[in-house]
């Protein structure tokens, strides 16, 4: 089992460009999350989903959109990238709200 | 709101010694806590969790202590090894809220 995978691993964008990050899981978990991690800071929740077809805003949702069309996939979109979105993005999954979260390997995004 | 923070940004420990990483939280309603380990270039990895109905929980070479009175938890690593060098995060959750992560403590193991 692959667990939680993320694509791509690295990406460089120019300001104003758009892109989609893909998170895929084979753990059959209902809950999925997108976090960003900046130097010297902990993980901050961007958006999350409690099941297929549902999404909700987290702590820092501005500038991002998400979709959960299939249970196993959670997509994070940047419509118009800004340098402030330079970060490492992590996807995570959990079986329920009060269970450990399993993290993917991360995507390092640089916006010039 | 919920905030979870760490007392020390870097902890340097001699190989074989015990390590203690501390974490304070602000929301007295928090009732679930997790410790994660993150190695360079990788995603966080679950170490151990504890719920508020417990004061102590032990795993393999790790122990988490929870003091609800002073809103403090700690992670103890016994016989620290070079492979324990990483950044350690605590995270807390209250009912109806999402997991909130602290800023992380870097543990450096000296040979």
């Amino acid at each position: 089992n692959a667990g939680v995978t993320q694509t791509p691993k690295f990406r460089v964008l120019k300001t104003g460009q758009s892109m989609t990050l893909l998170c895929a899981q084979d753990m059959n978990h209902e809950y999925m999350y997108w976090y960003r991690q900046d130097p010297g800071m902990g993980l901050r929740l961007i958006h999350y989903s409690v099941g297929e077809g549902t999404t909700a805003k987290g702590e820092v949702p501005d500038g991002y959109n998400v979709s959960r069309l299939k249970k196993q996939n959670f997509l994070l979109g940047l419509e118009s990238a800004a340098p402030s979105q330079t970060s490492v993005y992590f996807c995570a999954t959990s079986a329920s709200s009060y269970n450990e979260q399993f993290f993917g390997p991360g995507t390092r995004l640089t916006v010039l | 709101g919920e905030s979870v923070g760490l007392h020390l940004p870097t902890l340097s420990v001699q190989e074989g010694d015990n390590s203690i990483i501390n974490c304070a939280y602000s929301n007295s309603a928090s009732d679930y806590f997790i410790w994660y380990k993150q190695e360079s270039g990788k995603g966080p990895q679950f170490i151990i969790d504890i719920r508020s109905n417990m004061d102590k929980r032990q795993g393999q070479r790790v122990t988490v202590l929870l003091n609800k009175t002073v809103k403090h938890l700690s992670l103890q690593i016994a016989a620290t090894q070079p492979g324990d060098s990483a950044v350690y995060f605590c995270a807390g959750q209250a009912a109806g809220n999402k997991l909130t992560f602290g800023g992380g403590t870097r543990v450096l193991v000296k040979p």
Side-chain angles (χ1 to χ4, degrees):
Chain A
N1 291 343
V4 183
T5 59
Q6 293 182 232
T7 53
K9 288 183 169 53
F10 303 92
R11 186 71 185 269
V12 178
L13 290 177
K14 295 181 179 179
T15 297
Q17 287 184 319
S18 63
M19 78 162 295
T20 300
L21 283 66
L22 170 64
C23 177
Q25 56 114 348
D26 61 6
M27 306 176 79
N28 201 34
H29 284 170
E30 291 292 338
Y31 287 65
M32 297 188 75
Y33 312 83
W34 276 108
Y35 292 91
R36 60 178 290 173
Q37 185 176 40
D38 300 302
M41 300 183 71
L43 294 153
R44 292 185 293 169
L45 183 64
I46 304 171
H47 285 282
Y48 64 99
S49 169
V50 301
E52 180 179 324
T54 74
T55 62
K57 294 181 180 180
E59 180 186 356
V60 288
D62 294 341
Y64 305 95
N65 57 76
V66 288
S67 64
R68 182 100 181 267
L69 298 179
K70 293 182 179 180
K71 183 178 182 178
Q72 63 268 35
N73 295 336
F74 195 28
L75 279 66
L76 177 71
L78 286 73
E79 291 185 346
S80 180
S84 61
Q85 293 177 305
T86 294
S87 188
V88 180
Y89 291 85
F90 288 101
C91 174
T93 74
S94 65
S96 69
S97 178
Y98 269 89
N99 282 115
E100 63 181 282
Q101 294 182 17
F102 296 84
F103 284 82
T107 294
R108 183 174 294 276
L109 174 65
T110 301
V111 183
L112 304 176
Chain B
E2 170 78 62
S3 69
V4 183
L6 294 158
H7 294 303
L8 298 173
T10 302
L11 176 66
S12 192
V13 61
Q14 200 72 36
E15 181 179 354
D17 288 351
N18 296 335
S19 304
I20 299 177
I21 308 167
N22 296 304
C23 184
Y25 62 96
S26 62
N27 188 348
S28 56
S30 296
D31 55 5
Y32 180 56
F33 303 89
I34 306 179
W35 280 100
Y36 283 93
K37 172 186 179 182
Q38 186 176 25
E39 297 174 281
S40 181
K42 297 184 179 179
Q45 179 184 5
F46 172 85
I47 301 174
I48 192 168
D49 60 0
I50 188 168
R51 300 187 189 272
S52 60
N53 60 349
M54 302 175 69
D55 297 325
K56 177 181 180 179
R57 192 166 189 217
Q58 290 182 293
Q60 188 177 11
R61 283 200 307 117
V62 295
T63 300
V64 56
L65 299 177
L66 175 63
N67 186 329
K68 295 179 286 292
T69 302
V70 296
K71 293 184 285 188
H72 180 273
L73 69 159
S74 65
L75 178 71
Q76 301 178 4
I77 305 174
T80 309
Q81 303 169 359
D84 295 326
S85 291
V87 176
Y88 291 79
F89 293 94
C90 66
Q93 185 171 7
N97 294 337
K98 294 300 150 201
L99 205 59
T100 300
F101 288 81
T105 292
R106 182 175 302 278
V107 173
L108 299 175
V109 181
K110 297 179 290 185

